[in-house]
Amino acid sequence: MNEQEILKEKLASLRSEHRDLDDVIARLAERAPYDQLQMQRLKKRKLMLKDQITLLESRLLPDIIA
């Protein structure tokens, strides 16, 4: 397996976890009252995943000199 394939698999895994967190956050928000601390932690984790996804996507794109 080359580096690009490894990065693509990691990216797919991160995207899947990000989508799962979306579902968990939506279900938690539907229940009233909900734990604010848990919600903040989930949103923080989701944001961290988004940052990692963006970083991996930028590593996968070739550098283009304009």
Side-chain angles (χ1 to χ4, degrees):
M1 237 186 196
N2 65 23
E3 183 182 357
Q4 287 240 329
E5 291 171 348
I6 294 170
L7 289 176
K8 286 179 182 180
E9 283 185 11
K10 180 69 176 169
L11 185 59
S13 171
L14 291 173
R15 285 180 175 156
S16 175
E17 187 177 350
H18 189 266
R19 278 190 306 272
D20 291 345
L21 274 176
D22 260 344
D23 294 339
V24 170
I25 290 169
R27 276 188 260 123
L28 185 62
E30 289 173 357
R31 292 187 297 160
Y34 57 84
D35 185 0
Q36 285 285 5
L37 184 58
Q38 182 183 14
M39 181 69 85
Q40 286 176 338
R41 287 180 178 157
L42 290 171
K43 286 183 176 184
K44 187 174 184 179
R45 173 73 179 150
K46 184 179 167 194
L47 185 58
M48 186 179 68
L49 287 171
K50 183 63 177 170
D51 290 342
Q52 290 177 350
I53 289 169
T54 303
L55 178 66
L56 285 179
E57 286 174 340
S58 69
R59 287 181 65 191
L60 284 171
L61 291 175
D63 290 334
I64 299 173
I65 301 173

